[in-house]
Amino acid sequence: MPHRSFRAEVRDAVTPRATLLVVGVIALQLLFIASYVGALHDPEPKDVPFGVVAPQAASGQAVARLERLPGSPLDPRALPDEATARDRIIRRDIDGALIIDPSGTRDTLLVASGGGRALSTTLTTLLTEVEKSERRTLRTVDVAPSAPHDPNGLSSFYLVIGWCVGGYLGAAALAVSAGAKPSNPGRAAIRLAVMAVVALLGGIGGALIAGPALDALPGGTAALWGLGALVIFAVGAATLALQGVFGTIGIGLVILLVVVLGNPSAGGALPPPLLPPFWKAIGPALPPGAGTWSARSLAYFDGHAMTGPLLVLAAWAAAGTAITLTAAVLRDRAHATTAP
């Protein structure tokens, strides 16, 4: 066998396809860094939905005072009483409330660390300074506290990230074993059915680990199971769809959407009011954000404010299913047309 030159070996190894894949990996790496650092490096509250309870004569002045804070950290609105403020927090309409005591100099701040301790801590720091400037003091009451084994309110985020990983890795495994693009609609349907089984098993596994096994999240195991199955299938179906249209590159596109863009904008480490505008805007439309919001609602807010996020996840699942099947039908027809 004749000896081949090193240059020839390199030329055979570094094909245009391999070069494109390496360039794509480098691009994803840099986008990953830019997205995470960009989203999380400088948290600042912006237009945090916030309630103010005060006597009617002072209510307007208190709201106006908070509206004039530099940088517009709060979006205050007057509320009639403390009970209403607590109810609005539990329903996730607002993230905190200031209860002004007209007969003294000590007011009360209501927060909900179950929605993310970073936000409740930020509100406490901000309102303490505001009260100090008015020569008043502040006590903080947590109306939806995070669980003892979930002190920073992050378990829901990590649970959802694990479910998302199961979704795209499950679909990627099917591509590795049988090719990225199913050859006909029947095989596409089988892949979707396999993803449904993966979703059911991964959903119950995650719910049991985060709930009964580790006691990290309160709430019903059955509800978390349902959410987990929906998250996994939504991400898995989207991965199958992108693989069916773009081939192996589809896996990279899913990583871009779910990992690079979805994770830092999910509201895990930093709840949405602390994120920069771009990440705050895209987070609710991506599976990690919709899943994290829903998991926190189940664990700490009696399941309130979940309709929108569940519709987002259902839309990802439905669109992924439809595109996967349509791409397979079109591919099957193209093969039939070109067959001798």
Side-chain angles (χ1 to χ4, degrees):
M1 181 176 179
H3 177 71
R4 303 185 67 203
S5 68
F6 176 74
R7 181 176 298 179
E9 294 286 353
V10 171
R11 184 173 59 251
D12 289 346
V14 185
T15 63
R17 177 181 174 83
T19 301
L20 181 62
L21 289 174
V22 171
V23 170
V25 169
I26 295 172
L28 279 176
Q29 169 190 312
L30 297 179
L31 287 170
F32 182 97
I33 295 170
S35 183
Y36 278 70
V37 175
L40 307 177
H41 78 290
D42 187 24
E44 291 289 343
K46 182 69 174 178
D47 295 327
V48 180
F50 193 77
V52 178
V53 177
Q56 188 172 6
S59 178
Q61 295 178 354
V63 169
R65 175 163 52 95
L66 296 178
E67 285 179 332
R68 292 194 299 267
L69 292 175
S72 186
L74 302 178
D75 178 18
R77 69 287 309 267
L79 298 177
D81 51 46
E82 181 175 342
T84 300
R86 287 174 175 266
D87 181 67
R88 295 283 294 276
I89 291 173
I90 293 299
R91 292 183 176 278
R92 309 198 77 177
D93 295 328
I94 58 176
D95 292 309
L98 180 64
I99 314 299
I100 297 176
D101 182 3
S103 62
T105 60
R106 190 185 190 196
D107 299 328
T108 300
L109 172 66
L110 304 181
V111 297
S113 62
R117 188 166 294 277
L119 180 56
S120 62
T121 300
T122 298
L123 289 176
T124 299
T125 301
L126 174 65
L127 270 298
T128 297
E129 291 299 317
V130 171
E131 293 287 279
K132 185 177 179 180
S133 69
E134 298 288 326
R135 297 183 179 181
R136 300 179 70 84
T137 59
L138 187 73
R139 73 182 183 105
T140 301
V141 176
D142 199 338
V143 300
S146 56
H149 295 157
D150 183 29
N152 295 314
L154 291 176
S155 294
S156 52
F157 170 62
Y158 292 125
L159 174 61
V160 170
I161 295 307
W163 281 332
C164 289
V165 169
Y168 63 74
L169 286 186
L174 292 172
V176 170
S177 64
K181 298 180 179 181
S183 58
N184 57 60
R187 292 186 177 181
I190 290 172
R191 292 192 183 191
L192 288 166
V194 171
M195 277 309 311
V197 174
V198 170
L200 290 171
L201 294 177
I204 187 60
L208 289 173
I209 291 171
L214 299 179
D215 195 25
L217 281 181
T221 300
L224 280 177
W225 179 12
L227 174 63
L230 181 56
V231 170
I232 294 170
F233 187 78
V235 175
T239 306
L240 290 176
L242 291 172
Q243 288 175 166
V245 175
F246 298 104
T248 305
I249 296 175
I251 299 174
L253 295 176
V254 168
I255 292 174
L256 174 64
L257 289 171
V258 175
V259 179
V260 174
L261 295 176
N263 288 359
S265 65
L270 295 179
L274 299 180
L275 291 171
F278 173 75
W279 286 269
K280 181 179 179 180
I282 67 172
L286 298 173
T292 299
W293 179 277
S294 298
R296 281 178 170 160
S297 289
L298 288 173
Y300 298 116
F301 298 94
D302 299 331
H304 289 297
M306 288 181 58
T307 302
L310 291 180
L311 287 176
V312 168
L313 292 170
W316 277 81
T321 299
I323 293 171
T324 298
L325 294 174
T326 300
V329 169
L330 295 177
R331 192 176 305 108
D332 190 44
R333 289 179 179 175
H335 288 166
T337 302
T338 57

